[in-house]
Amino acid sequence: MGGAGESIIEIDGVSKMYRAFRALDNVQFDVRRGEIFGYIGPNGAGKTTTIKIIVGLLKDFGGEVSIAGHSVRTDGVKVSQLLGYLPQQAAFQEWRTVDHALKTFGRLSGLQGPGLESRIKEVLDLIGILEFRHKKVNQLSGGTVQKVGMAQAILHSPEILVLDEPMAGLDPASRYMFKRLFEDICRKDGTTILFSSHILSDLEDIGDRIGILNGGKMMHIGTVDDLRSRMKVAKEIDLVLSRTPPQRPPIESIDGVEGVEQPEENRYSVHLRDGADADDVMDGLLRLLSKSGCRVRSASPVTPTLEQLYMRLLGGGEA
């Protein structure tokens, strides 16, 4: 995984007001060169506002934002050369063909001639929509338009991709393809990716670090494991027996076990005390069950998902 490099995106004390509404409140974080950074939060938290500031669409804000050392306020041309951007809803003039639209964006990014022609073919093939190259935008499904938007974002091989809900409206196969694409261009090409998503499992699958925004304030920055440690989520072992024992074994007697629940027949949720070593508890558990004549089908530690951690951090907020 990436995430060990120098900062390439720096957000320093950024605030943004819309009349009396404070959309961002002293937001501060960085994105490191070569990492995939996931940006999440409830609707209205300020994620899209942050992204618009990063890509230079909003200039009226407090604080500073720099991209590879270039201010988004004063070095807009240089910043645009470094960035590839996919907005929340990709929009193209519907009368254009995919080829025409990408040629226009390519020329704006400095590509031209045979190099542009070959690059359009390359990115459309990479994203699996080469067959739509000469179709008009109004003939495409919403998911295909989103893929064209992704092709536009990577067309000029930018150092940084900033993607606002890039997998919105995609079917599971297309989401899987996008995730593999992100990993490939990040791990192989060194591209830095910042993307927001409502699908938290996607972020958990490929993100090096995450930032959680709520009410315009940063709630957490770090890895998912950092969040697990911060939330002090109780450790748990999921135990499944192959048949009902004649007498329930005294699992509570094992050192480090705080309590046991039985959500269904032959299945037990073993809750560990704070500071208990899961491996030691697992060893004691298996020894006890063996002595008790129980046959174990499975026994494994339970790791909370990013969605569970997120909901706990935000107190039930909606992703």
Side-chain angles (χ1 to χ4, degrees), residues 45-80:
K47 303 184 302 298
T48 295
T49 296
T50 309
I51 286 173
K52 286 182 176 179
I53 289 172
I54 290 172
V55 301
L57 293 178
L58 290 176
K59 304 287 189 183
D60 180 20
F61 63 90
E64 297 294 334
V65 176
S66 65
I67 308 296
H70 301 280
S71 168
V72 299
R73 281 197 180 95
T74 60
D75 299 332
V77 173
K78 182 61 178 177
V79 167
S80 66

Side-chain angles (χ1 to χ4, degrees), residues 32-45:
R32 300 167 187 167
R33 187 180 295 274
E35 80 171 336
I36 298 176
F37 186 93
Y39 199 38
I40 58 179
N43 289 329

Side-chain angles (χ1 to χ4, degrees), residues 10-262:
E10 295 182 312
I11 316 294
D12 187 7
V14 168
S15 297
K16 172 62 181 174
M17 297 289 296
Y18 291 105
R19 295 187 178 179
F21 174 67
R22 186 176 292 275
L24 296 174
D25 187 0
N26 195 33
V27 171
Q28 186 155 333
F29 68 96
D30 73 315
V31 179
R32 300 167 187 167
R33 187 180 295 274
E35 80 171 336
I36 298 176
F37 186 93
Y39 199 38
I40 58 179
N43 289 329
K47 303 184 302 298
T48 295
T49 296
T50 309
I51 286 173
K52 286 182 176 179
I53 289 172
I54 290 172
V55 301
L57 293 178
L58 290 176
K59 304 287 189 183
D60 180 20
F61 63 90
E64 297 294 334
V65 176
S66 65
I67 308 296
H70 301 280
S71 168
V72 299
R73 281 197 180 95
T74 60
D75 299 332
V77 173
K78 182 61 178 177
V79 167
S80 66
Q81 293 171 348
L82 294 169
L83 290 179
Y85 170 52
L86 178 62
Q88 196 165 25
Q89 291 185 321
F92 301 92
Q93 292 172 311
E94 294 192 346
W95 55 269
R96 291 179 184 263
T97 64
V98 170
D99 184 72
H100 188 187
L102 292 181
K103 281 179 179 174
T104 299
F105 281 104
R107 292 187 188 107
L108 290 172
S109 299
L111 302 176
Q112 56 186 343
L116 175 57
E117 288 282 346
S118 63
R119 181 59 179 163
I120 289 174
K121 182 178 183 299
E122 181 183 355
V123 297
L124 291 178
D125 190 38
L126 184 65
I127 296 175
I129 55 172
L130 184 57
E131 65 189 284
F132 299 106
R133 180 171 183 174
H134 298 293
K135 293 278 189 181
K136 289 186 177 181
V137 172
N138 62 11
Q139 296 175 306
L140 306 179
S141 68
T144 302
V145 171
Q146 191 74 356
K147 292 178 183 179
V148 176
M150 191 68 225
Q152 172 273 135
I154 66 173
L155 187 62
H156 61 297
S157 304
E159 289 186 37
I160 305 162
L161 281 175
V162 179
L163 313 171
D164 196 357
E165 298 285 348
M167 290 176 274
L170 298 182
D171 59 38
S174 296
R175 279 177 36 225
Y176 178 83
M177 182 272 290
F178 265 40
K179 287 191 286 185
R180 299 292 76 79
L181 172 66
F182 296 164
E183 288 189 312
D184 283 347
I185 61 179
C186 180
R187 311 310 178 207
K188 294 178 183 178
D189 303 334
T191 305
T192 303
I193 300 175
L194 181 152
F195 80 103
S196 68
S197 178
H198 279 71
I199 306 168
L200 302 192
S201 60
D202 290 340
L203 290 167
E204 189 167 18
D205 287 344
I206 63 172
D208 295 307
R209 292 188 303 145
I210 57 170
I212 300 178
L213 190 72
N214 188 31
K217 295 177 179 288
M218 290 298 295
M219 306 288 289
H220 172 80
I221 304 167
T223 66
V224 176
D225 283 340
D226 291 338
L227 185 57
R228 289 191 182 104
S229 297
R230 173 182 170 181
M231 299 303 294
K232 298 180 180 178
V233 179
K235 293 179 181 177
E236 185 179 318
I237 293 173
D238 181 57
L239 171 67
V240 181
L241 304 180
S242 60
R243 61 171 180 257
T244 304
Q247 184 174 349
R248 176 175 154 170
I251 297 173
E252 291 89 345
S253 67
I254 299 171
D255 187 33
V257 172
E258 185 174 73
V260 180
E261 296 179 13
Q262 188 174 0

